[in-house]
Amino acid sequence: MKKSILILTVLLSCGLAATAQVPNPYTYNDVPDIASEVPLGLPAHDEDRQPDLQKPRPQVSFCAYRIGNHGTPAKVFYNAASKRQFSVSSGINPATGEMQVIKTLSIPDSLAIYRIDDATRTITKLPGEGMQALNNMDVKTKSEQMTEEEMAYNSDRWCYMKTIVTTETFEGPYGSQTDEHYRTSYIDPETGITLCEDADGIVTFTRNIHLGVPYPEVFELPEGYKFVVQDLSSGLDAYKKFEEQMKDRYQKLLDRGVGETRVK
């Protein structure tokens, strides 16, 4: 009986995956907003007993939808051979204030992310070192620690679950502060794909999964586009200037007797 149920489950799951279209990198508005409305794309596991702890295999090539409770949904395309990832999402253009489609290609070999604008036929390179500097502008110390590791049922499958706590101590306008950030990932052991991730309450699901590389051309930068490199140092300098202004204002309040502790 259990074997029959398992076969039926696999057939139904494959049927759902078959009816769901392969994510198209050349469209965007067809991405659903609610993850529960989209099939996983992988067969469910019909196991009553929790399996032994097993680390996931290396992530395979795939394409899927990324849908969460924060931000806009996206389509992602991952090439396991080159480790490159292409995504299509949407965001506000700071120049116009309007929503626009955003295409990005992450190329680990060049330690950079490339934003592709089809409307202006422009490729903007975002250097990895510059982005890391912006993300860690105030961070003085940073450490990661694995706090939990087990098999857990999520997204109709037994997943390898891990929770990582990142502790950051940073210096801001009002002195030192230490924050802890929790990220729990549910990873499919067979494909290495993260099916669900909870980062401080921001939950993201991977749905409509299709294995393989249906659009190999998206992992190469388009030809004939204008190429520019984003100068992230100006943003870093502007933030540091703003931070110094805030620290100076805070110090003046302390000098006027609002507080007793001086900012060092």
Side-chain angles (χ1 to χ4, degrees), residues 104-115 123-136 221 227-236:
T104 60
L105 176 61
S106 172
I107 303 181
D109 291 346
S110 62
L111 301 177
I113 295 176
Y114 299 83
R115 179 170 292 183
I123 298 173
T124 303
K125 179 181 179 179
L126 304 173
E129 292 182 357
M131 294 183 65
Q132 186 176 8
L134 283 174
N135 292 333
N136 298 313
L221 293 172
F227 190 89
V228 297
V229 179
Q230 181 71 50
D231 182 13
L232 299 177
S233 61
S234 59
L236 182 61

Side-chain angles (χ1 to χ4, degrees), residues 84-242:
R84 296 184 178 189
Q85 178 168 294
F86 176 82
S87 68
V88 182
S89 61
S90 69
I92 297 178
N93 186 331
T96 63
E98 299 179 352
M99 294 291 291
Q100 69 174 28
V101 175
I102 298 175
K103 297 182 178 181
T104 60
L105 176 61
S106 172
I107 303 181
D109 291 346
S110 62
L111 301 177
I113 295 176
Y114 299 83
R115 179 170 292 183
I116 303 168
D117 190 335
D118 293 326
T120 61
R121 296 181 63 82
T122 302
I123 298 173
T124 303
K125 179 181 179 179
L126 304 173
E129 292 182 357
M131 294 183 65
Q132 186 176 8
L134 283 174
N135 292 333
N136 298 313
M137 283 184 292
D138 296 328
V139 177
K140 298 176 63 177
T141 62
K142 184 175 182 178
S143 62
E144 287 188 347
Q145 180 182 1
M146 179 92 73
T147 62
E148 194 170 3
E149 187 180 25
E150 63 180 70
M151 300 301 291
Y153 202 76
N154 186 287
S155 303
D156 296 327
R157 295 175 72 83
W158 282 106
C159 298
Y160 167 75
M161 186 198 79
K162 66 176 181 180
T163 298
I164 294 179
V165 179
T166 302
T167 303
E168 294 180 338
T169 300
F170 59 93
E171 185 74 28
Y174 310 113
S176 298
Q177 182 177 336
T178 299
D179 287 343
E180 287 188 343
H181 303 281
Y182 292 80
R183 184 175 74 255
T184 301
S185 302
Y186 298 88
I187 306 171
D188 175 43
E190 296 178 7
T191 64
I193 299 173
T194 300
L195 305 182
C196 177
E197 184 171 82
D198 184 342
D200 288 338
I202 299 177
V203 184
T204 305
F205 297 94
T206 303
R207 292 294 183 267
N208 189 27
I209 299 172
H210 290 261
L211 304 183
V213 184
Y215 296 93
E217 69 276 11
V218 301
F219 299 106
E220 301 294 336
L221 293 172
E223 298 181 357
Y225 279 44
K226 178 183 177 182
F227 190 89
V228 297
V229 179
Q230 181 71 50
D231 182 13
L232 299 177
S233 61
S234 59
L236 182 61
D237 292 340
Y239 181 83
K240 288 182 177 179
K241 183 178 180 181
F242 170 76

